[in-house]
Amino acid sequence: MFPAAHARTDPERAAIAMADTGEQRTWAEVEARSAALATWLRRAGLDTGDVVVLALPNDVRWAEIAWACWRTGLVLAPVSVHLGAEELRALVDLARPAAVVTDTGLAPTLGAALGGAPAPAVLTVGRDYDEAVDATPPDPELPETMGGRLVFSSGTTGRPKAYREDPPGVHPRDVPLRYRAMMADVGMVPGPGEPAPIMYSPGPAYHTAPMGFMHAVHQLGGTLVTARRFDAEGSLAAIERHRITHSLWVPTMFVRLLRLPDTVKHRYDLGSHRVAVHGAAPCPPSVKQAMLDWWGPILHEYYGSSEGYGRTAIGPREWIAHPGSVGRPKGGSVRITDADGHDLATGEIGRVWLVRPDAGEPERATDGSADLDALPGWGWAGDLGYVDGDGYLYLTGRESQVIVTGGVNVHPREVEDLLALHPDVADVAVLGVPDEEFGEQVRAVVAPVSTPREGLAEELVAHCRAELAHYKCPRAVDFVEQVPRNGAGKIELETLRRAYR
């Protein structure tokens, strides 16, 4: 389904609401405003398959902008609002937009990124966007055809990659439910007579998962509740006030929620909250267990890639039996190989390949290796991990993050998980820094809860050495105000590495 259908059956229901500002758009408003914006874009010269770059923080206008594209065959390309002009220029070069929607705060940066590129049509929230939408009568003759999307990988260790879904050439009402299997797994598809979901998603809508969940919730006629920025107590208040049924998180949000005082944690009525979904970044087992102890068995985890090669999923009771796992494959399979494409045995750490059901089997060289990258439907997102005897996948980190110290491999996630819930640690990243003797040494970069007391660095090293082999432990701890992470909660490793070069 799509806005026109919901506007007929439930026009006054909120399609999108802002938990922190109180703004909202009803289905009637999203239908009218998305049709008006689609008309404006077509009159500006855009045609089926053209790209609209969206650089906008979470905002009630997100719904109408997305659906303006998705109802008229345009390709929506959301970009991070935290990128600089040079970083944005790389994305603009890939997108080649015919139109841009942004706000007054980001307009100068985006203008610099566009540089000498062919000038797209530009609308700016806070300047001319609302006036253009309000002044444009919807054209009933516009073709109703589903649009596409152009998404960019998180780019935590280098230049992001683009992944494009072309318009499928069908009416929006005929498009299958986004994340259909996952929506069914977590109970988001209402049965006969049941209400549509009310979902809280405080993460940036320009990331793949929040945008995909918004699409799915809107196909179901539900309400998406979001916020300009994540606030731990504000999230609990939003769940109570909006009677949230489902939610979407990244692990760093869990850490901040857990650090709330007990009096705040128990101040709000969370009785409507049936399912909490998380993914995008690894969740330390200690953090997840603490959330299960608080919220009960409602946490569902997924693992996948923006390119859509496949996914794994795990429910709360499965996770309790397989702590630390990201689940088993759903609708495909997972393979663990070495760098040359040789399959590895159960329990051995290697490259994690997600495989869609329609993928062909690889041709093997005489030594048993295979070039899996060359096969459609196979994908490796840079992650390392292993599969246990029951077929559950465990991630150990990213290949680009492995530290080689004295010829021995160290996986930073093991150390990060150990430090994550130390009472003095608000956030942590572990990386390898140059070392003349060992090649690399393990270094922890810690954002402390408060001003670090004397001796805290040595205490954190000792904390690691009490649990791990000494070669895995940080040789030193550096304190920072904030560990650099992107909107999906992933550590921006390249930012840290540059600081140590």
Side-chain angles (χ1 to χ4, degrees):
M1 303 298 282
F2 74 121
H6 306 316
R8 285 193 296 270
T9 59
D10 204 357
E12 297 309 309
R13 178 181 175 123
I16 187 169
M18 300 298 294
D20 46 359
T21 68
E23 297 173 279
Q24 70 170 37
R25 290 277 194 267
T26 65
W27 275 116
E29 290 169 328
V30 168
E31 160 61 14
R33 291 175 65 85
S34 65
L37 177 58
T39 301
W40 189 95
L41 292 168
R42 286 290 190 169
R43 289 177 179 171
L46 276 72
D47 203 352
T48 301
D50 283 343
V51 173
V52 177
V53 161
L54 176 57
L56 192 68
N58 289 0
D59 187 287
V60 289
R61 296 168 184 81
W62 250 92
E64 63 203 42
I65 296 165
W67 280 107
C69 295
W70 292 339
R71 67 188 297 161
T72 48
L74 303 175
V75 176
L76 179 67
V79 297
S80 170
V81 300
H82 300 293
L83 299 179
E86 287 301 315
E87 295 165 306
L88 278 172
R89 183 172 290 119
L91 305 190
V92 168
D93 288 345
L94 291 170
R96 298 185 179 277
V100 170
V101 181
T102 186
D103 68 5
T104 53
L106 296 166
T109 302
L110 200 53
L114 290 169
V122 178
L123 283 175
T124 304
V125 172
R127 186 177 299 156
D128 56 2
Y129 173 89
D130 288 313
E131 292 83 350
V133 172
D134 293 340
T136 305
D139 181 357
E141 300 302 318
L142 280 185
E144 294 273 84
T145 181
M146 182 64 194
R149 66 192 70 204
L150 178 66
V151 297
F152 302 95
S153 66
S154 298
T156 53
T157 58
R159 174 176 285 206
K161 295 181 294 184
Y163 173 69
R164 178 177 169 123
E165 290 182 8
D166 285 316
V170 300
H171 195 282
R173 66 168 172 261
D174 298 322
V175 175
L177 177 63
R178 191 84 184 172
Y179 301 155
R180 179 195 294 267
M182 189 187 301
M183 297 300 106
D185 288 346
V186 301
M188 285 186 68
V189 182
E194 293 180 342
I198 305 172
M199 183 162 200
Y200 181 59
S201 176
Y206 53 76
H207 279 293
T208 307
M211 180 173 61
F213 272 87
M214 179 186 76
H215 186 182
V217 169
H218 281 177
Q219 285 179 294
L220 295 168
T223 300
L224 179 80
V225 181
T226 186
R228 293 277 292 187
R229 59 186 59 83
F230 173 74
D231 176 81
E233 184 175 357
S235 295
L236 301 181
I239 293 172
E240 178 184 82
R241 182 167 59 254
H242 294 275
R243 308 307 297 158
I244 298 297
T245 60
H246 295 72
S247 58
L248 180 65
W249 314 85
V250 296
T252 52
M253 296 175 182
F254 288 161
V255 172
R256 294 176 192 175
L257 285 162
L258 289 167
R259 294 198 183 280
L260 290 171
D262 287 343
T263 53
V264 174
K265 289 180 185 176
H266 302 298
R267 182 178 297 161
Y268 299 94
D269 177 6
L270 308 183
S272 64
H273 193 201
R274 303 199 306 267
V275 171
V277 181
H278 72 97
C283 185
S286 56
V287 170
K288 184 160 181 175
Q289 185 60 60
M291 290 300 300
L292 287 166
D293 293 342
W294 176 16
W295 283 359
I298 70 169
L299 269 66
H300 291 253
E301 184 171 1
Y302 69 90
Y303 164 69
S305 66
S306 300
E307 293 81 3
Y309 297 120
R311 70 179 179 95
T312 67
I314 189 167
R317 301 192 188 281
E318 283 182 289
W319 189 89
I320 291 169
H322 299 271
S325 173
V326 294
R328 292 190 288 189
K330 295 286 186 177
S333 61
V334 61
R335 296 176 79 155
I336 308 296
T337 75
D338 63 16
D340 295 318
H342 297 98
D343 289 318
L344 298 178
T346 297
E348 287 191 281
I349 294 173
R351 293 180 173 180
V352 178
W353 292 86
L354 292 175
V355 189
R356 288 201 303 262
D358 59 353
E361 282 298 311
E363 291 188 14
R364 297 280 171 179
T366 54
D367 63 356
S369 65
D371 182 9
L372 303 180
D373 265 324
L375 277 176
W378 290 69
W380 172 58
D383 293 311
L384 299 177
Y386 65 92
V387 173
D388 69 12
D390 295 323
Y392 284 85
L393 173 64
Y394 297 75
L395 300 178
T396 60
R398 296 181 64 79
E399 188 171 75
S400 60
Q401 295 172 345
V402 172
I403 302 164
V404 183
T405 178
V408 180
N409 288 356
V410 175
H411 296 274
R413 185 183 169 188
E414 188 175 15
V415 188
E416 291 167 353
D417 287 353
L418 183 58
L419 290 170
L421 274 187
H422 187 283
D424 292 300
V425 176
D427 199 5
V428 59
V430 173
L431 73 158
V433 301
D435 184 278
E436 289 187 5
E437 181 179 0
F438 295 101
E440 286 186 300
Q441 66 167 254
V442 182
R443 184 71 60 97
V445 178
V446 168
V449 171
S450 58
T451 303
R453 64 180 180 276
E454 186 176 350
L456 178 58
E458 292 77 12
E459 181 183 324
L460 294 177
V461 172
H463 175 73
C464 293
R465 290 188 169 190
E467 300 289 336
L468 299 174
H470 287 198
Y471 73 86
K472 297 180 180 180
C473 299
R475 297 269 297 278
V477 175
D478 295 329
F479 295 108
V480 295
E481 185 175 333
Q482 184 174 1
V483 173
R485 291 181 180 268
N486 64 20
K490 297 179 181 179
I491 296 167
E492 294 183 335
L493 187 62
E494 191 59 29
T495 300
L496 290 173
R497 284 176 170 164
R498 281 198 299 267
Y500 286 98
R501 284 187 186 132

